[in-house]
């Protein structure tokens, strides 16, 4: 009997060292199980030809096509010394040229006779304005004797087209799969039998055979449905177990004191909370009052008043004798939060100081660039409990930082922090502190369930009264240069009315970002490098905005200089701020009414939405101008048009995710997801994810340790190997 590889067996034993090396290095496949989960991207049907017309969008990509040879001829050059074989293939509508050079032209010339059909794989390139594949690998699909093996292998089958690489074509991967498919019989089924039968899903072994060697399209559908459920369910069980474990931890209940700090703060607010803010605050206060740590995600539209909700939660904790820490991703944002919190609290933020309120507390800032005396005082205020609230950057996480009684951790812009950082701060509490995670990037429900599945979610989608609408327009600077001139006139008009403006560029331009500039230029072919803050600021000072105070802000400036510029901009002394995306989150200058985003096509949809949220924060209407040189029919311009068409961040995040590859959806921080979501599409499979979450919650409630579900436990251990632990620890 032939050798059936074990699922965890290294592919070297089955396929030989050379092939195994390519699979490992190029495709990240190491074992028979990895290879079984390397699913076909699509299927070609025998007799049905692949569309060649689509290749125009795939220049420089490695493709596999099925087509018929129309003609083949050998041409000579260099006085007959050189030979070139040109083969034209067709699918009945489009044509494509294949080229072979040198001594290797005779075999393809003999194999690729007019009228014969084959699979071809290679990199699509352009030569003399025509698409071609140079030296493609090919596999005949004919019926004569020399092709009989290939023909038998593919006979009566849908041909799987695998994600491939230059060193290993799709059909070679198919042959590798033939060697490991028998071991699919050993695959442990993670789904509880009752769930599988209740949902009418095929067994795992059958799904693996059908996905790789389908007899009909119905086979593919059965297999996909089953494999999607596996991915959704195993991931949701992992998240449900984390939620369950967190719910068992002890925490100190934190309830606001009647007539205490929170009541005093609410009494001095010059406006009433929106209905959304009241609802979300209630959810948070209910969580804080329990004996288990809160784990809540607060996602809010740009400008929906998340900071106020978080501040009220922090004040409730201070009322109960605890301390609250807010972790921000950048110094600019930490300083901004510190400024706005102390302004909102007034004398309540000066506890123990002259002129401070009796009920007040101290609010301290802690960042890496602070001077030694200020830093020492902040650390002292934290360890004695003098400071009820601390706002800081990664500096909060250092070993030196000790708290008197840490009761609540607020993490702003969650996606910018890795695992260890969040946990390092939480570990500073005597008991696990409550956790509130905030993001201003609206996330569709299913993505929230997949990425933040261990957190309960609250959504703020109502803007506070007095917020102004933001008009957004695309400025096609190449087709209509006078539109760009008009944009600068608009900036000048706003400044003359007493308002201020932002100009955002993708690059700093200080020489240190030369490698980035070079990389962008290489990727973009003949496109110019991205526009830079320092260059644009200089052009504006000399040209269209001459006479106005124009300043720059970017991440590589000295922290004191950054804070100085931000302070002067907030005070209205600086009229135009030319910046990188360092202003993307949290910067709040209500007097800013206009934003011009240069090379807007180089930013993502959600990022543009974030940036735009910096204007229209006061009573005057906001204006956002998206400047782009891209052609009107390009996908980049379609993206910009989508941003201009709606202010609904949830709608835009959907568009954003539909346009990006699934691997990017979950962000680099979710390291395990890229390798664990092969079949599941987070946006399309909304229903599967929601159902899997329900089933997972039920299964974990009944059997938290999964003692009665060994198959599920095995699948979970595979998902949670050390590399993927971090995914659930959630950066």
């Amino acid at each position: 009997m032939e050798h059936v590889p074990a699922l965890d067996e290294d592919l070297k034993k089955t396929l030989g060292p050379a092939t195994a090396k390519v699979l490992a290095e190029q495709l990240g496949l190491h074992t028979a199980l990895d290879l079984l989960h390397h699913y076909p991207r699509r299927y070609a049907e025998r007799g049905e030809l692949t569309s060649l017309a689509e290749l125009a969008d795939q220049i420089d990509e490695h493709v596999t096509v099925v087509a018929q040879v129309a003609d083949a001829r050998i041409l000579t050059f260099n006085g007959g010394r050189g030979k070139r074989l040109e083969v034209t293939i067709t699918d009945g509508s489009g044509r494509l040229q294949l080229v072979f050079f040198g001594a290797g032209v005779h075999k393809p010339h003999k194999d690729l006779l007019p009228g014969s059909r084959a699979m071809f794989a290679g990199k699509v390139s352009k030569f003399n304005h025509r698409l071609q594949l140079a030296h493609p690998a090919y596999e005949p699909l004919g019926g004569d004797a020399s092709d009989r093996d290939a023909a038998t292998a593919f006979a009566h089958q849908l041909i799987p087209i695998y994600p491939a690489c230059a060193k290993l074509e799709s059909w070679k991967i198919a042959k590798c799969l033939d060697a490991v498919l028998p071991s699919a019989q050993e695959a442990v089924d993670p789904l509880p039998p009752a769930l599988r039968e209740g949902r009418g899903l095929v067994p795992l072994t059958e799904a693996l055979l059908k996905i790789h060697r389908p007899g009909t399209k119905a086979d593919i559908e059965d297999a996909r449905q089953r494999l999607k459920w596996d991915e959704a369910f195993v991931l949701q069980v992992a998240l449900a177990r984390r939620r369950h474990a967190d719910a068992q931890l002890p925490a100190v209940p934190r309830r606001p004191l009647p007539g205490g700090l929170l009541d005093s703060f609410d009494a001095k607010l010059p406006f009433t909370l929106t209905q959304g803010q009241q609802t979300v605050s209630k959810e948070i206060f209910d969580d804080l009052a329990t004996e288990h740590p809160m784990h809540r995600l607060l996602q809010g539209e740009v400008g929906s008043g998340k900071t106020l909700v978080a501040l009220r939660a922090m004040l409730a904790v201070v009322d109960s004798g605890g301390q609250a820490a807010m972790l921000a991703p950048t110094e600019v944002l930490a300083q901004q939060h510190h400024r706005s919190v102390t302004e909102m609290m007034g004398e309540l933020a000066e506890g123990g100081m002259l002129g401070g309120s009796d009920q007040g507390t101290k609010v301290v800032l802690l960042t890496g660039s602070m001077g030694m005396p200020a830093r020492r005082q902040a650390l002292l205020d934290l360890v004695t409990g003098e400071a009820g609230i601390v706002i800081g950057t990664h500096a909060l996480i250092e070993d030196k930082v000790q708290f008197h009684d840490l009761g609540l951790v607020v993490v702003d812009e969650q996606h910018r922090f890795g695992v260890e950082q969040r946990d390092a701060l939480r570990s500073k509490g005597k008991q696990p502190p409550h956790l509130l995670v905030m993001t201003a990037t609206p996330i569709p429900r299913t993505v929230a369930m997949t990425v933040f599945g261990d957190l309960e979610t609250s959504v703020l989608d109502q803007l506070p009264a007095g917020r102004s609408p933001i008009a957004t327009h695309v400025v096609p600077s190449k087709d209509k240069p006078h539109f760009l001139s008009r944009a600068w006139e608009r900036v000048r008009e706003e400044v003359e009315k007493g308002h201020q403006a932002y100009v955002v560029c993708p690059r700093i331009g200080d020489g240190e970002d030369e490698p980035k500039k070079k990389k962008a230029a290489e990727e973009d072919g003949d496109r110019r490098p991205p526009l830079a803050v320092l260059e644009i600021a200089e052009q504006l000072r000399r040209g269209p905005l001459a006479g106005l105070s124009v300043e720059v802000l970017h991440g590589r400036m000295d922290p004191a200089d950054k804070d100085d510029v931000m302070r002067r901009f907030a005070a209205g002394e600086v009229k135009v701020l030319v910046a990188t995306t360092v202003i993307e989150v949290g910067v709040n200058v209500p007097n800013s009414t206009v934003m011009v985003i240069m090379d807007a096509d180089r930013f993502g949809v959600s990022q543009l939405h974030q940036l735009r949220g910096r204007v229209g924060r006061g009573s005057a209407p906001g204006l956002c101008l998206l400047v782009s040189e891209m052609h009107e029919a390009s996908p980049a311009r379609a993206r910009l048009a989508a941003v201009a068409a709606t202010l609904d961040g949830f709608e835009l995040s959907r568009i954003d995710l539909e346009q990006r590859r699934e691997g990017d959806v979950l962000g680099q921080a979710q390291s395990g997801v890229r390798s664990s979501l092969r079949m599941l599409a987070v946006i399309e499979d909304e229903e599967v994810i929601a159902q899997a979450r329900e089933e997972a919650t039920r299964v974990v409630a009944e059997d938290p340790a999964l003692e009665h579900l060994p198959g599920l436990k095995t699948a979970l251990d595979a998902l949670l190997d050390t590399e993927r632990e971090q995914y659930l620890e959630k950066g």
Side-chain angles (χ1 to χ4, degrees):
M1 186 183 142
E2 62 178 286
H3 167 68
V4 174
L7 289 173
D8 56 358
E9 193 172 281
D10 193 300
L11 288 168
K12 282 192 198 106
K13 288 188 184 170
T14 320
L15 304 173
T19 304
K21 185 170 188 254
V22 175
L23 286 168
E25 288 176 3
Q26 303 283 318
L27 298 169
L29 307 174
H30 304 274
T31 65
L33 188 62
D34 290 344
L35 189 50
L36 284 173
H37 287 302
H38 187 68
Y39 306 132
R41 178 181 285 150
R42 59 187 177 83
Y43 300 83
E45 280 185 72
R46 271 185 61 63
E48 180 192 274
L49 299 176
T50 308
S51 162
L52 299 179
E54 292 167 20
L55 298 184
D57 299 330
Q58 294 179 304
I59 303 290
D60 282 342
E61 279 192 34
H62 208 271
V63 299
T64 305
V65 296
V66 177
Q68 195 164 9
V69 178
D71 62 59
R73 55 202 177 123
I74 289 183
L75 305 171
T76 57
F77 53 95
N78 276 354
R81 289 195 298 278
K83 286 186 176 168
R84 181 170 85 235
L85 169 65
E86 288 186 359
V87 178
T88 306
I89 59 173
T90 177
D91 60 359
S93 57
R95 292 169 91 78
L96 179 69
Q97 191 170 52
L98 316 177
V99 212
F100 300 86
F101 293 98
V105 301
H106 297 292
K107 184 171 185 335
H109 192 222
K110 194 171 83 211
D111 292 343
L112 302 174
L113 300 171
S116 65
R117 190 169 289 154
M119 290 174 83
F120 302 92
K123 201 189 239 187
V124 183
S125 58
K126 227 174 190 177
F127 181 70
N128 281 342
H129 307 298
R130 285 171 68 188
L131 291 178
Q132 68 168 27
L133 296 183
H135 276 288
Y138 60 91
E139 178 84 354
L141 302 179
D144 60 49
S146 64
D147 294 335
R148 197 163 293 142
D149 290 351
T152 311
F154 291 113
H156 315 302
Q157 278 188 0
L158 290 151
I159 304 163
I161 309 289
Y162 288 95
C165 58
K167 292 183 179 172
L168 209 60
E169 294 84 15
S170 172
W171 56 84
K172 288 187 181 162
I173 293 174
K175 284 176 180 164
C176 296
L177 266 144
D178 286 337
V180 300
L181 260 179
S183 62
Q185 303 294 341
E186 308 297 313
V188 182
D189 200 323
L191 294 190
L195 188 160
R196 185 170 63 70
E197 286 154 20
R199 300 256 170 207
L201 299 168
V202 300
L204 179 58
T205 299
E206 189 182 323
L208 289 170
L209 292 172
K210 281 182 169 177
I211 200 79
H212 292 295
R213 298 293 173 262
T216 63
K217 288 183 177 173
D219 284 353
I220 300 170
E221 201 35 55
D222 286 351
R224 277 178 190 268
Q225 209 42 37
R226 163 64 215 243
L227 296 167
K228 278 180 181 184
W229 253 96
D230 278 19
E231 289 177 8
F233 182 68
V234 173
L235 190 52
Q236 290 300 337
V237 166
L239 293 164
R241 285 183 79 194
R242 181 167 168 103
R243 283 198 302 277
H244 186 271
D246 284 341
Q248 311 309 308
L249 294 171
V252 178
R254 308 282 180 174
R255 297 182 183 89
L257 212 60
L261 184 56
L262 178 63
D263 283 351
S264 304
F265 174 75
D266 283 349
K268 65 192 286 298
L269 275 180
F271 50 81
T272 51
L273 299 180
T274 64
Q275 186 56 53
Q277 286 173 322
Q278 289 175 33
T279 306
V280 169
S281 290
K282 183 177 182 323
E283 291 171 349
I284 291 171
F285 289 151
D286 288 350
D287 283 359
L288 289 174
T290 63
E291 292 178 359
H292 302 292
M294 164 171 81
H295 289 94
R296 191 164 281 281
L297 169 70
L298 170 56
Q299 44 166 330
E301 269 290 14
V302 179
S304 57
K306 289 182 302 299
T307 311
L308 178 62
V309 169
L311 174 55
R312 293 184 73 242
M314 295 197 282
L315 296 175
V317 169
V318 176
D319 258 352
S320 73
Q323 291 169 292
M326 182 187 249
L327 184 61
T330 64
E331 295 215 349
V332 167
L333 191 51
Q335 287 158 344
Q336 172 81 35
H337 276 319
H338 183 252
R339 244 195 318 273
S340 60
V341 163
T342 47
E343 278 167 18
M344 279 195 271
M345 286 177 65
E347 74 279 6
L348 295 174
E350 296 163 2
M353 300 188 210
L354 206 60
S357 160
D358 297 344
Q359 286 171 319
T361 186
K362 217 170 183 183
V363 179
V364 299
L365 176 70
L366 189 65
T367 64
S369 64
M370 278 167 74
M372 213 49 224
R375 190 184 177 78
R376 206 173 285 127
Q377 184 60 51
L379 292 173
L380 186 65
D381 287 341
L382 286 179
V383 77
T384 59
E386 188 83 14
I389 294 177
V390 59
I391 296 167
T393 54
H394 297 76
L396 281 176
I397 295 165
E398 291 167 12
D399 291 345
K400 286 196 209 77
V401 182
Q402 300 294 321
F403 288 85
H404 177 65
D405 178 14
L406 180 61
L408 170 66
V409 173
V410 179
V411 181
D412 193 23
E413 287 311 311
Q414 155 77 10
H415 62 279
R416 302 191 181 198
F417 289 101
V419 182
E420 300 85 2
Q421 296 163 322
R422 188 172 96 178
D423 282 359
L425 185 52
R426 284 173 66 190
S427 67
K428 292 180 182 290
K430 295 188 176 73
Q431 280 196 327
H434 298 280
L435 175 72
L436 178 65
V437 166
M438 301 199 296
T439 175
T441 308
I443 308 165
R445 178 168 148 267
T446 43
V447 181
M449 272 195 251
T450 310
V451 185
F452 300 110
D454 58 335
L455 303 171
E456 298 302 324
T457 306
S458 294
V459 176
L460 267 182
D461 50 10
Q462 199 182 357
L463 293 188
R467 273 298 165 87
S468 305
I470 305 169
T472 309
H473 303 285
V474 179
V475 178
S477 55
K478 204 169 192 173
D479 313 343
K480 299 179 178 169
H482 60 287
F483 276 36
L484 183 57
S485 311
R486 177 70 190 121
W488 300 127
E489 283 170 22
R490 283 292 289 118
V491 170
R492 201 176 259 288
E493 286 164 16
E494 286 299 310
V495 172
E496 281 163 6
K497 285 182 199 165
H499 298 306
Q500 290 160 275
Y502 295 100
V503 178
V504 180
C505 303
R507 204 164 55 86
I508 298 172
D510 59 355
E512 279 191 45
D513 54 8
E514 276 304 306
K516 198 163 145 192
K517 169 176 165 181
K518 193 161 171 255
K519 183 170 181 284
E522 282 166 10
E523 284 174 3
D524 295 340
D526 29 0
R527 271 184 87 184
R528 61 159 172 69
L531 293 171
V533 166
L534 300 177
E535 293 156 15
I536 290 293
E538 198 44 49
Q539 286 171 25
L540 293 176
R541 284 186 195 117
R542 287 204 311 264
L545 302 184
L548 301 183
S549 57
V550 177
E551 295 269 359
V552 300
L553 181 73
H554 59 76
R556 281 204 284 272
M557 284 165 65
D558 180 89
D561 294 342
K562 267 192 276 196
D563 198 37
D564 176 55
V565 171
M566 244 357 269
R567 208 175 279 284
R568 287 189 296 118
F569 186 63
E573 295 163 29
V574 173
K575 298 302 179 192
V576 181
L577 189 63
V578 184
T580 55
T581 54
V582 70
I583 60 147
E584 177 187 347
V585 174
V587 172
N588 184 25
V589 180
N591 193 40
S592 306
T593 53
V594 59
M595 175 178 284
V596 182
I597 303 179
M598 308 301 290
D599 280 347
D601 48 90
R602 294 182 188 262
F603 299 96
V605 169
S606 294
Q607 201 172 25
L608 291 169
H609 182 58
Q610 286 290 332
L611 286 165
R612 154 173 78 182
R614 302 303 110 210
V615 296
R617 298 176 81 85
S619 52
L623 173 66
C624 178
L625 301 172
L626 307 173
V627 180
S628 171
E629 290 187 353
M630 298 304 277
H631 188 270
E632 195 169 357
S634 64
R637 277 286 290 277
R639 260 198 347 258
L640 298 183
V643 175
T646 178
L647 288 171
D648 182 340
F650 287 91
E651 174 58 28
L652 286 173
S653 71
R654 255 196 117 81
I655 292 169
D656 197 15
L657 295 187
E658 280 163 4
Q659 290 179 347
R660 284 154 53 184
R661 287 201 324 278
E662 205 65 56
D664 303 333
V665 166
L666 307 173
Q668 259 62 55
Q670 327 313 349
S671 68
V673 169
R674 186 174 299 245
S675 27
S676 62
L677 296 192
R678 296 181 170 92
M679 191 59 81
L680 196 68
V682 179
I683 291 287
E684 290 160 34
D685 297 319
E686 194 156 350
E687 215 170 290
V688 174
I689 293 170
Q691 291 169 358
R693 183 179 164 109
E694 268 173 44
E695 294 276 11
T697 308
R698 187 179 53 72
V699 164
V700 171
E702 288 169 10
D703 181 6
L706 306 180
E707 285 167 11
H708 306 298
L709 297 166
L712 178 55
K713 198 164 186 335
T714 306
L716 208 54
D717 293 343
L719 175 74
L720 302 186
D721 58 25
T722 46
E723 171 213 355
R724 297 174 194 174
E725 269 295 319
Q726 300 168 358
Y727 161 61
L728 290 170
E729 294 296 317
K730 197 76 68 333

